[in-house]
């Protein structure tokens, strides 16, 4: 199934919550789009208090976690998108490209790529930074993939989506990995 062309700017990350898709831009706006996954119709435009790059939903706690542009901070929102609190993580991920965010009841997982070589000890590859909901750094997982785009945990399995580039016909390609 394919939608008609939607004006979603640079749709960088999305999540599924309460029967809808929520689409976050990439560093360009504070607007979040709520989309019906069955019809692909735009249901609502939600304006948040800061510019965002990523989003995920924790159903157990009924909370959204959102990556905030201009810092390594995260913002936590109630399910009605009223602001709850901001997280300033220890061991922030400066210099890496923020791609996607995922969460469960215990941790926030941030998918970052090093496509521009900003981190010298990791010239090739990406990272998944793991934090608690209080912002305490847990670990950095090195992923030997040039440009990671998103990360998703299902149970104890990690899924990673990548962007591999364009072919001579300008067709974008990527892979999905299960770790």
């Amino acid at each position: 199934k394919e939608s008609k062309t939607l004006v979603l700017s640079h749709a960088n990350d999305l999540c599924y919550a309460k029967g809808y898709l929520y689409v976050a831009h990439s560093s360009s706006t504070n607007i979040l789009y709520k989309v019906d996954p069955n019809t692909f119709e735009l249901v609502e435009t939600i304006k948040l208090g800061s510019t965002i790059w990523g989003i995920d939903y924790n159903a157990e706690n009924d909370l959204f976690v959102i990556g905030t542009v201009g810092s390594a901070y995260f913002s936590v929102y109630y399910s009605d998108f009223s602001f709850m609190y901001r997280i300033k993580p220890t061991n922030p991920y400066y210099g890496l490209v923020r791609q996607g965010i995922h969460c469960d009841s215990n941790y926030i997982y941030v998918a970052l790529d090093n496509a521009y070589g900003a981190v010298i000890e990791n010239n090739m590859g990406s990272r998944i930074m793991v934090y608690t909901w209080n912002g305490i750094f847990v670990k950095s997982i090195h992923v030997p993939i040039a440009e990671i785009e998103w990360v998703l945990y299902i149970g104890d399995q990690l899924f990673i989506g990548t962007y591999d580039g364009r072919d001579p016909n300008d067709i974008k390609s990527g892979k999905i990995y299960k770790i």
Side-chain angles (χ1 to χ4, degrees):
K1 187 170 185 177
E2 183 177 326
S3 77
K4 64 182 182 193
T5 300
L6 300 171
V7 181
L8 299 175
S9 185
H10 179 132
N12 194 62
D13 198 16
L14 64 88
C15 72
Y16 179 79
K18 299 181 174 269
Y20 294 96
L21 297 172
Y22 292 87
V23 182
H25 293 271
S26 173
S27 306
S28 60
T29 185
N30 66 334
I31 295 173
L32 181 68
Y33 288 117
K34 182 178 179 180
V35 176
D36 183 315
N38 299 307
T39 65
F40 293 139
E41 295 296 319
L42 179 62
V43 174
E44 183 180 1
T45 299
I46 302 163
K47 290 188 179 183
L48 300 174
S50 61
T51 307
I52 60 175
W53 57 264
I55 184 170
D56 200 21
Y57 176 71
N58 177 271
E60 185 175 327
N61 296 315
D62 198 24
L63 298 173
F64 287 93
V65 63
I66 293 176
T68 305
V69 173
S71 69
Y73 292 20
F74 312 117
S75 295
V76 178
Y77 286 82
Y78 294 103
S79 62
D80 66 355
F81 289 102
S82 58
F83 180 77
M84 184 177 196
Y85 67 96
R86 177 162 290 144
I87 301 169
K88 180 180 180 184
T90 59
N91 193 22
Y93 46 82
Y94 299 118
L96 296 168
V97 180
R98 297 174 287 259
Q99 295 290 14
I101 194 168
H102 179 69
C103 64
D104 59 26
S105 295
N106 298 309
Y107 302 106
I108 298 170
Y109 308 89
V110 182
L112 307 160
D113 77 41
N114 192 29
Y116 302 116
V119 179
I120 294 175
E121 65 270 13
N122 181 22
N123 284 329
M124 298 300 288
S126 300
R127 293 180 189 270
I128 298 169
M129 301 291 272
V130 182
Y131 299 95
T132 67
W133 281 83
N134 293 322
I136 305 301
F137 174 72
V138 176
K139 64 180 168 181
S140 172
I141 303 168
H142 178 262
V143 182
I145 299 168
E147 195 165 336
I148 193 170
E149 288 291 326
W150 53 264
V151 60
L152 173 66
Y153 269 98
I154 300 174
D156 63 350
Q157 296 186 336
L158 172 66
F159 294 85
I160 296 172
T162 69
Y163 171 69
D164 292 339
R166 299 172 188 251
D167 70 11
N169 296 315
D170 203 31
I171 306 290
K172 295 178 184 177
S173 65
K175 295 182 181 91
I176 297 174
Y177 293 86
K178 181 170 80 170
I179 299 174

